[in-house]
Amino acid sequence: MKLPYRVLVIDDDENALCGMEELLRAAGHDVTTTTSYEDAKKLLSLGGYDLLVTDVRIRSFNGLHLVMKVRNESPGLGVVIMSGYDSSLMELEARRYNATFVRKPIKPEEFIDVVSRGLKSVRRERRWPRKAVAGGFRVMAAGQPAAVVDVCYDGLRLEMPPAGSLPAMFVVEVSGIGLNLDVEPVWAFTAADGSAVICGATLASDSTPAVRVWRDLVDRLIP
């Protein structure tokens, strides 16, 4: 039996929070809620969540700061951003952070649909240890110069030049060791200053010679 998704919900409106908790539990999710920005930061630092649902305004705090923290520290986490402001700017911000967006007041069916979309790209089959690579190492990714900035057995995180949408599969070439690795992008977003696209990618295969070479490389990088 598949384990339920773990969802963290932050909203300073306790009535709205209780309503969302009931909806998510009825949909089969494991739900944690808080009205506190600081408590949310602590909970996120503990890890283990599959989806973050946050209001843009949490009392005097900006929920987008939590989203930025998540994208920096746990980029594979699904994110849903909520707002009562009827502004296209909020939707643009959501897309910028590879998040889905929902307007308040929440409509139950729409909310559950948005949560489902937010969880679609979450990969939970394996939680391999990850290793940040200081300064990154240079590769070619989808035919463009790029840098690998963290690694694990199952994939890697890349910084790539801003460009159009990524293909469903592309090759990462590590020229120094003659490695050509087929990967599939799982998520991507544009850095805040617009200088790069940050992309998380997973190995397209689990048993090729290239994958064995990759995992030998990761073994040397992860103590």
PDB file of all heavy atoms in Angstrom, residues 56-74:
ATOM      1  N   VAL A  56       0.041  33.682   0.875  1.00  0.00           N
ATOM      2  CA  VAL A  56       1.060  34.701   0.594  1.00  0.00           C
ATOM      3  C   VAL A  56       1.312  35.561   1.826  1.00  0.00           C
ATOM      4  O   VAL A  56       2.451  35.952   2.106  1.00  0.00           O
ATOM      5  CB  VAL A  56       0.635  35.567  -0.610  1.00  0.00           C
ATOM      6  CG1 VAL A  56       1.566  36.763  -0.779  1.00  0.00           C
ATOM      7  CG2 VAL A  56       0.619  34.736  -1.887  1.00  0.00           C
ATOM      8  N   ARG A  57       0.251  35.836   2.594  1.00  0.00           N
ATOM      9  CA  ARG A  57       0.385  36.651   3.802  1.00  0.00           C
ATOM     10  C   ARG A  57       0.140  35.794   5.037  1.00  0.00           C
ATOM     11  O   ARG A  57      -0.899  35.162   5.157  1.00  0.00           O
ATOM     12  CB  ARG A  57      -0.607  37.814   3.781  1.00  0.00           C
ATOM     13  CG  ARG A  57      -0.263  38.876   2.760  1.00  0.00           C
ATOM     14  CD  ARG A  57       1.025  39.577   3.110  1.00  0.00           C
ATOM     15  NE  ARG A  57       1.448  40.503   2.077  1.00  0.00           N
ATOM     16  CZ  ARG A  57       2.642  41.092   2.054  1.00  0.00           C
ATOM     17  NH1 ARG A  57       3.514  40.849   3.010  1.00  0.00           N
ATOM     18  NH2 ARG A  57       2.959  41.920   1.084  1.00  0.00           N
ATOM     19  N   ILE A  58       1.136  35.754   5.937  1.00  0.00           N
ATOM     20  CA  ILE A  58       1.006  35.026   7.205  1.00  0.00           C
ATOM     21  C   ILE A  58       1.276  36.044   8.310  1.00  0.00           C
ATOM     22  O   ILE A  58       2.423  36.276   8.703  1.00  0.00           O
ATOM     23  CB  ILE A  58       1.994  33.847   7.287  1.00  0.00           C
ATOM     24  CG1 ILE A  58       1.878  32.960   6.034  1.00  0.00           C
ATOM     25  CG2 ILE A  58       1.734  33.018   8.544  1.00  0.00           C
ATOM     26  CD1 ILE A  58       3.024  32.005   5.857  1.00  0.00           C
ATOM     27  N   ARG A  59       0.198  36.685   8.738  1.00  0.00           N
ATOM     28  CA  ARG A  59       0.304  37.839   9.642  1.00  0.00           C
ATOM     29  C   ARG A  59       1.237  38.881   9.007  1.00  0.00           C
ATOM     30  O   ARG A  59       0.972  39.355   7.912  1.00  0.00           O
ATOM     31  CB  ARG A  59       0.736  37.403  11.039  1.00  0.00           C
ATOM     32  CG  ARG A  59      -0.302  36.498  11.717  1.00  0.00           C
ATOM     33  CD  ARG A  59      -0.048  36.322  13.198  1.00  0.00           C
ATOM     34  NE  ARG A  59      -1.121  35.557  13.805  1.00  0.00           N
ATOM     35  CZ  ARG A  59      -1.094  34.237  13.996  1.00  0.00           C
ATOM     36  NH1 ARG A  59      -0.026  33.542  13.650  1.00  0.00           N
ATOM     37  NH2 ARG A  59      -2.121  33.617  14.546  1.00  0.00           N
ATOM     38  N   SER A  60       2.337  39.215   9.662  1.00  0.00           N
ATOM     39  CA  SER A  60       3.216  40.252   9.105  1.00  0.00           C
ATOM     40  C   SER A  60       4.305  39.673   8.202  1.00  0.00           C
ATOM     41  O   SER A  60       5.183  40.403   7.744  1.00  0.00           O
ATOM     42  CB  SER A  60       3.866  41.047  10.243  1.00  0.00           C
ATOM     43  OG  SER A  60       4.646  40.190  11.063  1.00  0.00           O
ATOM     44  N   PHE A  61       4.241  38.356   7.940  1.00  0.00           N
ATOM     45  CA  PHE A  61       5.290  37.705   7.147  1.00  0.00           C
ATOM     46  C   PHE A  61       4.809  37.431   5.721  1.00  0.00           C
ATOM     47  O   PHE A  61       3.609  37.371   5.452  1.00  0.00           O
ATOM     48  CB  PHE A  61       5.716  36.388   7.803  1.00  0.00           C
ATOM     49  CG  PHE A  61       6.394  36.555   9.132  1.00  0.00           C
ATOM     50  CD1 PHE A  61       5.677  36.445  10.310  1.00  0.00           C
ATOM     51  CD2 PHE A  61       7.751  36.844   9.202  1.00  0.00           C
ATOM     52  CE1 PHE A  61       6.293  36.601  11.546  1.00  0.00           C
ATOM     53  CE2 PHE A  61       8.379  36.999  10.424  1.00  0.00           C
ATOM     54  CZ  PHE A  61       7.656  36.885  11.599  1.00  0.00           C
ATOM     55  N   ASN A  62       5.766  37.244   4.846  1.00  0.00           N
ATOM     56  CA  ASN A  62       5.504  36.945   3.441  1.00  0.00           C
ATOM     57  C   ASN A  62       5.723  35.456   3.200  1.00  0.00           C
ATOM     58  O   ASN A  62       6.837  34.952   3.337  1.00  0.00           O
ATOM     59  CB  ASN A  62       6.441  37.772   2.554  1.00  0.00           C
ATOM     60  CG  ASN A  62       6.085  37.659   1.083  1.00  0.00           C
ATOM     61  OD1 ASN A  62       5.437  36.696   0.651  1.00  0.00           O
ATOM     62  ND2 ASN A  62       6.499  38.642   0.305  1.00  0.00           N
ATOM     63  N   GLY A  63       4.647  34.750   2.854  1.00  0.00           N
ATOM     64  CA  GLY A  63       4.752  33.317   2.608  1.00  0.00           C
ATOM     65  C   GLY A  63       5.671  32.952   1.457  1.00  0.00           C
ATOM     66  O   GLY A  63       6.185  31.826   1.385  1.00  0.00           O
ATOM     67  N   LEU A  64       5.908  33.905   0.545  1.00  0.00           N
ATOM     68  CA  LEU A  64       6.813  33.619  -0.577  1.00  0.00           C
ATOM     69  C   LEU A  64       8.247  33.390  -0.094  1.00  0.00           C
ATOM     70  O   LEU A  64       9.030  32.726  -0.776  1.00  0.00           O
ATOM     71  CB  LEU A  64       6.774  34.750  -1.603  1.00  0.00           C
ATOM     72  CG  LEU A  64       5.467  34.904  -2.376  1.00  0.00           C
ATOM     73  CD1 LEU A  64       5.550  36.083  -3.323  1.00  0.00           C
ATOM     74  CD2 LEU A  64       5.109  33.630  -3.131  1.00  0.00           C
ATOM     75  N   HIS A  65       8.589  33.944   1.078  1.00  0.00           N
ATOM     76  CA  HIS A  65       9.917  33.679   1.629  1.00  0.00           C
ATOM     77  C   HIS A  65      10.070  32.201   1.988  1.00  0.00           C
ATOM     78  O   HIS A  65      11.160  31.632   1.858  1.00  0.00           O
ATOM     79  CB  HIS A  65      10.172  34.560   2.857  1.00  0.00           C
ATOM     80  CG  HIS A  65      10.299  36.014   2.526  1.00  0.00           C
ATOM     81  ND1 HIS A  65      10.192  37.014   3.458  1.00  0.00           N
ATOM     82  CD2 HIS A  65      10.498  36.648   1.335  1.00  0.00           C
ATOM     83  CE1 HIS A  65      10.334  38.186   2.882  1.00  0.00           C
ATOM     84  NE2 HIS A  65      10.525  37.990   1.589  1.00  0.00           N
ATOM     85  N   LEU A  66       8.977  31.574   2.448  1.00  0.00           N
ATOM     86  CA  LEU A  66       9.009  30.132   2.699  1.00  0.00           C
ATOM     87  C   LEU A  66       9.188  29.370   1.389  1.00  0.00           C
ATOM     88  O   LEU A  66       9.913  28.374   1.340  1.00  0.00           O
ATOM     89  CB  LEU A  66       7.714  29.679   3.377  1.00  0.00           C
ATOM     90  CG  LEU A  66       7.487  30.116   4.823  1.00  0.00           C
ATOM     91  CD1 LEU A  66       6.097  29.694   5.271  1.00  0.00           C
ATOM     92  CD2 LEU A  66       8.541  29.525   5.753  1.00  0.00           C
ATOM     93  N   VAL A  67       8.522  29.842   0.344  1.00  0.00           N
ATOM     94  CA  VAL A  67       8.641  29.183  -0.954  1.00  0.00           C
ATOM     95  C   VAL A  67      10.081  29.270  -1.464  1.00  0.00           C
ATOM     96  O   VAL A  67      10.639  28.293  -1.977  1.00  0.00           O
ATOM     97  CB  VAL A  67       7.661  29.807  -1.970  1.00  0.00           C
ATOM     98  CG1 VAL A  67       7.849  29.193  -3.352  1.00  0.00           C
ATOM     99  CG2 VAL A  67       6.220  29.615  -1.498  1.00  0.00           C
ATOM    100  N   MET A  68      10.713  30.435  -1.314  1.00  0.00           N
ATOM    101  CA  MET A  68      12.111  30.581  -1.730  1.00  0.00           C
ATOM    102  C   MET A  68      13.018  29.650  -0.936  1.00  0.00           C
ATOM    103  O   MET A  68      13.941  29.042  -1.489  1.00  0.00           O
ATOM    104  CB  MET A  68      12.552  32.033  -1.577  1.00  0.00           C
ATOM    105  CG  MET A  68      11.964  32.971  -2.614  1.00  0.00           C
ATOM    106  SD  MET A  68      12.644  34.658  -2.537  1.00  0.00           S
ATOM    107  CE  MET A  68      11.671  35.353  -1.217  1.00  0.00           C
ATOM    108  N   LYS A  69      12.754  29.511   0.363  1.00  0.00           N
ATOM    109  CA  LYS A  69      13.537  28.606   1.210  1.00  0.00           C
ATOM    110  C   LYS A  69      13.395  27.163   0.704  1.00  0.00           C
ATOM    111  O   LYS A  69      14.379  26.426   0.584  1.00  0.00           O
ATOM    112  CB  LYS A  69      13.045  28.714   2.656  1.00  0.00           C
ATOM    113  CG  LYS A  69      13.676  27.723   3.634  1.00  0.00           C
ATOM    114  CD  LYS A  69      13.073  27.901   5.030  1.00  0.00           C
ATOM    115  CE  LYS A  69      13.536  26.821   5.984  1.00  0.00           C
ATOM    116  NZ  LYS A  69      14.977  26.871   6.261  1.00  0.00           N
ATOM    117  N   VAL A  70      12.162  26.781   0.401  1.00  0.00           N
ATOM    118  CA  VAL A  70      11.906  25.428  -0.089  1.00  0.00           C
ATOM    119  C   VAL A  70      12.622  25.184  -1.418  1.00  0.00           C
ATOM    120  O   VAL A  70      13.259  24.146  -1.614  1.00  0.00           O
ATOM    121  CB  VAL A  70      10.381  25.204  -0.247  1.00  0.00           C
ATOM    122  CG1 VAL A  70      10.086  24.022  -1.163  1.00  0.00           C
ATOM    123  CG2 VAL A  70       9.750  24.979   1.114  1.00  0.00           C
ATOM    124  N   ARG A  71      12.519  26.129  -2.325  1.00  0.00           N
ATOM    125  CA  ARG A  71      13.140  25.918  -3.632  1.00  0.00           C
ATOM    126  C   ARG A  71      14.664  25.855  -3.533  1.00  0.00           C
ATOM    127  O   ARG A  71      15.318  25.213  -4.344  1.00  0.00           O
ATOM    128  CB  ARG A  71      12.724  27.051  -4.583  1.00  0.00           C
ATOM    129  CG  ARG A  71      11.303  26.851  -5.106  1.00  0.00           C
ATOM    130  CD  ARG A  71      11.252  25.649  -6.033  1.00  0.00           C
ATOM    131  NE  ARG A  71       9.890  25.279  -6.408  1.00  0.00           N
ATOM    132  CZ  ARG A  71       9.262  24.221  -5.964  1.00  0.00           C
ATOM    133  NH1 ARG A  71       9.841  23.413  -5.098  1.00  0.00           N
ATOM    134  NH2 ARG A  71       8.045  23.923  -6.379  1.00  0.00           N
ATOM    135  N   ASN A  72      15.232  26.494  -2.531  1.00  0.00           N
ATOM    136  CA  ASN A  72      16.677  26.449  -2.341  1.00  0.00           C
ATOM    137  C   ASN A  72      17.116  25.168  -1.647  1.00  0.00           C
ATOM    138  O   ASN A  72      18.138  24.580  -2.007  1.00  0.00           O
ATOM    139  CB  ASN A  72      17.135  27.660  -1.510  1.00  0.00           C
ATOM    140  CG  ASN A  72      18.634  27.730  -1.367  1.00  0.00           C
ATOM    141  OD1 ASN A  72      19.361  27.630  -2.346  1.00  0.00           O
ATOM    142  ND2 ASN A  72      19.100  27.885  -0.147  1.00  0.00           N
ATOM    143  N   GLU A  73      16.345  24.721  -0.653  1.00  0.00           N
ATOM    144  CA  GLU A  73      16.777  23.608   0.186  1.00  0.00           C
ATOM    145  C   GLU A  73      16.118  22.276  -0.166  1.00  0.00           C
ATOM    146  O   GLU A  73      16.710  21.220   0.054  1.00  0.00           O
ATOM    147  CB  GLU A  73      16.492  23.937   1.656  1.00  0.00           C
ATOM    148  CG  GLU A  73      17.254  25.171   2.148  1.00  0.00           C
ATOM    149  CD  GLU A  73      16.914  25.539   3.575  1.00  0.00           C
ATOM    150  OE1 GLU A  73      16.150  24.779   4.223  1.00  0.00           O
ATOM    151  OE2 GLU A  73      17.403  26.576   4.051  1.00  0.00           O
ATOM    152  N   SER A  74      14.898  22.303  -0.683  1.00  0.00           N
ATOM    153  CA  SER A  74      14.172  21.067  -1.021  1.00  0.00           C
ATOM    154  C   SER A  74      13.461  21.255  -2.354  1.00  0.00           C
ATOM    155  O   SER A  74      12.228  21.295  -2.423  1.00  0.00           O
ATOM    156  CB  SER A  74      13.157  20.733   0.078  1.00  0.00           C
ATOM    157  OG  SER A  74      13.760  20.642   1.337  1.00  0.00           O
TER     158      SER A  74
END
